[in-house]
Amino acid sequence: MAQTKKLITVDDLWALQRVGGVALSPDGAQAVCSVSSYSMEDNNSSTSLWLLSTAVNKHGGKPRRLTSAGDKDGQAAWSPQGDRIAFVAKREQQGKKDDTPQLYVMAPDGGEAQRVSDFAPGVEAFKWFPDGKRIAFISWVWPGEKGSKAQAKRHKEFKDRKETGYVTSEAQYRFWDHNLPMGRVPHLHVLDVASGRVRDLFEGTAFELPRGSPDATCFDISADGKRIAFVFDAAAEKRLDNCKALMEIEVRNTKTHGKTHVKAQDAAWDFDAPRYSPDGERLAFIASHLGLKHTMPGQLAIMDAAGAWAVVSADWDHHVNAPLRWSSSGEAVMFTAEDQGRCHLYRFDLTARTASAVVRGGWVQSFDVCGDVIVSAADAMNHPARVHAVQPDGSSVRIEKFNDDAMAKFKFGTTEDVRLKAANGDEIQMWVIYPPGFDPESAKSGKNAKSAKKRYPVMHSIHGGPHAAAGDTFHYRWNNQVFAAQGYIVAGVNYHGSSGFGYKFLDSITHRWGELELQDVEAGTDWLLAKPWVDKKRIFATGGSYGGYMVAWMNGHVPTGRYQAYVCHAGCFDWQAMFADDAYTWHAKELGAWYWEDAAKVNSQSPSTFVAAMQTPTLVIHGALDYRVPDGQGLAYYNTLKAKGVDSRLLWFPDENHWILKPRNSKLWYGEFFGWLKAHDNKAKATLGAKESAKKTAKQKSA
């Protein structure tokens, strides 16, 4: 008998295994990926490494688990010789438990992983040198201290301190959900794998990597292992929006060791993600002409052996994402880029200056290239990330089935890519996700009397950014299939300002936030209200981050009654008070003025200015560790609604950031989310009341 499929729930969502980064072996025959599993009961997660064959066929090649003892084993990378896999983890080994993440290596055929670093400040990200004997890694260190012992001493003193105050004179002192380490900066180090000896390449200099979130895309090692290219904020005062320079440091064992060179520096250009060509003669990187405007896209640039550089993707209206990977021939560079609500892996031909998609999303989350083999992890609205390998002949093969058994149990709704006219007469995209079992034809034709009367509630899921997109992706925190399984028609509008639709569309909202976006969301609502299967009295709007800003904006601009309720997650409410965020230096660029220079202009884009009109019931959600949109924004919005007597509810997390990441907190989030919508859904309340009445009658009869 055919298996009866079920509707997906939040518990099911957290039971899925989540595929992370992928890395290819030097011969392209194998790949290693990280896989995270979550426990709702224990409220935690663990991440292991798995070995995959890129030539999987019906005769074998099953994935093999490599690690199971560590805490969040990740960032796996093969040695250039293919005999070892390095990764970052916190473990207990030989009676010593890691206080900070360290580097481990293991053979790909199995065996116990060995700790190869013992550096007190810890390891953030790394890359192998071509000789396989050394590893370059990032660590936050005290720049005035010399040597590993001195760093260890300072680390212990800092860890054991009794004071809790944070003192700084820096402009950039916190990022996302954490304070930037007091007195520390991110330096590049070289580890000798055999001896464990560590050398700080920036020791005694003013060099450091970007403080926001330095990772392995911030630097690259040349093919001969003699040079490292890295990005550097040369300004005296470090800020998130400063233009970064491209530098190069020599790491050969000669008198020139440690000598640095400026590869590219321009006050009008931001440079990032350097990558040496296979022959080491050229350097690919991402260049953004921020001197023109702060919203300018990242473009592919190439520097030749003589040091001259040029943007090569200027005629291709897409933003280039890091990381960059050269083809084995050096004739092309590969990277991901968004396009119309999807994210593909592209091959950019340097001679023809054209881009062609080699792996299509959904959403390509990670990839690696080795020789003529490509491995990618990509998801879509109807499935979590899957790993595929593209062979030299262009054929693609799935090389794992981590979630297939679980996914086979679920009944999902269909997804439609709708195009409609909206603000400025422009065409916009709207994703529509239908509830499982939805049949629009029978409702429209009226052939089935019961289905013809069926009317569905609508739930807008408004994306953040604003320069991001509602994408064809399996979003765990805002999962469209979990939403649709509750019976909602889910709408995801890619409003003006969204990424992936060209630069003009992205920049169109600058200095006038809320205006065009609202027209676009309303156009999506009008499109849905015109359908015979939509219940016009059951329309809801929800959003997070900039999407939270949008529902707060809508509460002050849309007539009461059009939407039955809102959900505002981590939303911006007051742009003057938002100056407490970690990205405050962007405010004037986005809004058109500093608030003390033109308060009227700033306030005209602030939902708090339009409080008098707010009457729609709202659930406000926020995390105390949210430094991108400080929780004071959500609390002020909630307090305002309460003071006005507007029906409202607050869900506040003391231990979450801009995102809700813990399993139990996520379950609470979804429960409150759906509970709030149902509490303001007249049909749902009537159905619930009828059920309660029936239960009461049954009890009375049995008595």
Side-chain angles (χ1 to χ4, degrees):
M1 294 179 64
Q3 181 185 16
T4 301
K5 294 194 174 184
K6 57 172 286 189
L7 301 178
I8 189 170
T9 67
V10 62
D11 289 282
D12 297 321
L13 196 67
W14 282 92
L16 296 173
Q17 298 187 74
R18 305 187 187 185
V19 175
V22 292
L24 273 168
S25 60
D27 61 3
Q30 295 176 299
V32 63
C33 72
S34 62
V35 180
S36 297
S37 301
Y38 292 81
S39 169
M40 187 65 72
E41 180 179 354
D42 298 330
N43 200 32
N44 61 18
S45 66
S46 61
T47 303
S48 301
L49 301 181
W50 287 74
L51 191 68
L52 313 175
S53 169
T54 60
V56 169
N57 54 48
K58 61 182 179 180
H59 302 296
K62 292 183 179 180
R64 179 165 58 86
R65 187 171 183 165
L66 285 175
T67 67
S68 59
D71 176 14
K72 301 185 185 303
D73 298 345
Q75 302 186 52
W78 295 76
S79 67
Q81 294 70 34
D83 60 338
R84 288 169 295 175
I85 297 171
F87 59 96
V88 177
K90 288 175 66 177
R91 295 184 163 210
E92 184 172 357
Q93 192 173 91
Q94 297 176 342
K96 181 179 179 180
K97 188 174 183 179
D98 295 329
D99 183 49
T100 54
Q102 299 295 327
L103 277 165
Y104 285 78
V105 298
M106 70 181 304
D109 57 0
E112 181 65 25
Q114 298 298 315
R115 183 195 293 122
V116 294
S117 72
D118 185 15
F119 192 62
V123 175
E124 296 289 326
F126 72 95
K127 282 183 179 177
W128 285 92
F129 273 80
D131 60 12
K133 298 178 180 179
R134 296 169 294 163
I135 291 175
F137 70 88
I138 302 170
S139 184
W140 287 82
V141 297
W142 286 267
E145 304 294 343
K146 294 185 177 181
S148 298
K149 290 184 179 180
Q151 293 292 340
K153 181 181 178 182
R154 285 296 301 272
H155 177 75
K156 186 177 186 307
E157 291 172 352
F158 185 80
K159 184 178 66 172
D160 295 342
R161 75 194 188 284
K162 305 302 181 184
E163 303 83 6
T164 59
Y166 191 97
V167 182
T168 185
S169 297
E170 300 285 352
Q172 184 183 341
Y173 57 93
R174 62 180 186 171
F175 182 78
W176 195 253
D177 62 356
H178 59 279
N179 293 323
L180 297 184
M182 286 189 288
R184 282 184 283 173
V185 295
H187 277 193
L188 264 179
H189 300 73
V190 174
L191 167 74
D192 181 83
V193 177
S195 67
R197 180 176 175 269
V198 172
R199 184 172 69 242
D200 185 343
L201 292 178
F202 295 165
E203 189 175 277
T205 74
F207 292 116
E208 59 179 76
L209 297 176
R211 296 182 185 180
S213 186
D215 59 22
T217 66
C218 295
F219 70 97
D220 195 40
I221 306 170
S222 63
D224 59 9
K226 297 180 179 180
R227 295 162 291 149
I228 296 180
F230 64 94
V231 294
F232 171 55
D233 179 357
E237 185 172 79
K238 312 304 179 188
R239 304 194 331 177
L240 287 175
D241 57 341
N242 284 346
C243 285
K244 301 182 294 295
L246 275 183
M247 306 295 297
E248 188 175 66
I249 186 169
E250 296 189 29
V251 290
R252 65 184 75 188
N253 293 317
T254 67
K255 293 180 180 179
T256 60
H257 176 81
K259 186 177 181 180
T260 56
H261 314 274
V262 177
K263 298 290 287 183
Q265 185 173 10
D266 190 312
W269 287 84
D270 180 57
F271 303 124
D272 207 354
R275 190 79 179 186
Y276 286 102
S277 62
D279 60 7
E281 294 298 312
R282 291 169 293 165
L283 192 68
F285 55 97
I286 297 174
S288 302
H289 199 176
L290 301 187
L292 288 181
K293 209 165 190 181
H294 73 286
T295 53
M296 290 298 290
Q299 298 175 311
L300 178 63
I302 303 294
M303 180 178 291
D304 62 25
W309 69 273
V311 169
V312 296
S313 66
D315 295 330
W316 190 60
D317 195 7
H318 292 69
H319 177 85
V320 174
N321 297 325
L324 307 178
R325 293 286 187 271
W326 287 82
S327 65
S328 57
S329 65
E331 297 175 348
V333 176
M334 279 171 269
F335 50 80
T336 64
E338 294 179 37
D339 183 63
Q340 305 282 311
R342 293 184 170 89
C343 185
H344 310 307
L345 175 62
Y346 288 93
R347 182 184 188 276
F348 193 91
D349 187 293
L350 297 177
T351 301
R353 298 198 174 187
T354 56
S356 57
V358 292
V359 176
R360 290 189 173 274
W363 206 274
V364 177
Q365 301 287 354
S366 63
F367 74 97
D368 197 12
V369 179
C370 197
D372 295 321
V373 178
I374 300 170
V375 65
S376 65
D379 62 357
M381 282 194 201
N382 61 351
H383 66 80
R386 299 171 177 171
V387 184
H388 285 79
V390 179
Q391 304 299 324
D393 63 1
S395 61
S396 177
V397 60
R398 174 97 177 275
I399 60 175
E400 54 71 39
K401 296 182 179 180
F402 291 124
N403 290 304
D404 284 19
D405 289 343
M407 295 296 291
K409 301 175 184 177
F410 305 135
K411 182 179 182 180
F412 281 169
T414 59
T415 301
E416 184 179 2
D417 180 347
V418 172
R419 306 295 170 121
L420 61 148
K421 294 290 185 180
N424 293 339
D426 297 333
E427 181 183 86
I428 64 166
Q429 179 197 51
M430 178 174 69
W431 294 106
V432 180
I433 302 88
Y434 297 98
F438 174 77
D439 184 4
E441 293 304 319
S442 62
K444 287 190 293 184
S445 64
K447 292 179 180 178
N448 183 313
K450 185 177 180 180
S451 63
K453 296 178 181 178
K454 178 74 172 177
R455 298 290 183 268
Y456 293 86
V458 168
M459 191 199 91
H460 276 283
S461 179
I462 305 175
H463 74 76
H467 306 311
D472 186 9
T473 180
F474 199 77
H475 201 301
Y476 286 96
R477 297 182 308 279
W478 289 73
N479 189 273
N480 287 322
Q481 293 296 346
V482 174
F483 292 153
Q486 295 287 316
Y488 297 101
I489 292 174
V490 183
V493 175
N494 274 319
Y495 49 75
H496 281 76
S498 300
S499 55
F501 298 86
Y503 174 71
K504 181 180 178 182
F505 188 83
L506 180 143
D507 187 57
S508 62
I509 68 170
T510 302
H511 300 174
R512 52 171 176 170
W513 281 10
E515 178 186 338
L516 302 182
E517 306 93 295
L518 177 58
Q519 295 178 48
D520 294 342
V521 172
E522 287 290 81
T525 301
D526 288 340
W527 185 92
L528 288 159
L529 288 173
K531 304 302 178 184
W533 26 262
V534 165
D535 190 330
K536 297 176 175 57
K537 296 182 179 180
R538 302 167 69 200
I539 312 297
F540 306 91
T542 72
S545 192
Y546 195 82
Y549 162 83
M550 279 304 302
V551 293
W553 183 261
M554 291 164 70
N555 207 350
H557 289 80
V558 177
T560 303
R562 182 168 168 90
Y563 298 91
Q564 277 60 64
Y566 295 127
V567 178
C568 174
H569 172 99
C572 309
F573 174 65
D574 180 345
W575 282 119
Q576 290 194 33
M578 261 291 288
F579 221 70
D581 71 356
D582 66 345
Y584 66 93
T585 56
W586 267 296
H587 285 211
K589 297 176 182 179
E590 292 284 3
L591 301 172
W594 298 114
Y595 72 83
W596 58 87
E597 294 175 338
D598 191 344
K601 185 174 185 62
V602 172
N603 291 337
S604 71
Q605 300 169 76
S606 182
S608 60
T609 304
F610 306 94
V611 163
M614 295 182 178
Q615 294 295 332
T616 302
T618 300
L619 169 64
V620 178
I621 309 175
H622 228 111
L625 300 181
D626 187 350
Y627 299 162
R628 184 53 48 94
V629 181
D631 68 333
Q633 293 288 302
L635 298 178
Y637 185 30
Y638 173 73
N639 291 353
T640 298
L641 295 176
K642 295 301 286 187
K644 281 177 54 64
V646 177
D647 185 9
S648 51
R649 186 173 176 86
L650 174 68
L651 174 58
W652 179 82
F653 295 96
D655 56 346
E656 297 284 6
N657 59 30
H658 201 55
W659 303 331
I660 308 305
L661 301 175
K662 295 180 175 65
R664 288 291 184 92
N665 283 345
S666 175
K667 186 171 183 176
L668 175 61
W669 187 96
Y670 275 101
E672 288 288 333
F673 188 103
F674 293 136
W676 180 256
L677 298 185
K678 286 182 171 61
H680 295 84
D681 184 328
N682 289 327
K683 185 172 182 180
K685 286 192 290 185
T687 301
L688 181 62
K691 288 182 179 179
E692 292 297 327
S693 178
K695 287 181 181 179
K696 186 176 181 180
T697 301
K699 285 183 179 180
Q700 291 173 344
K701 287 182 177 180
S702 63

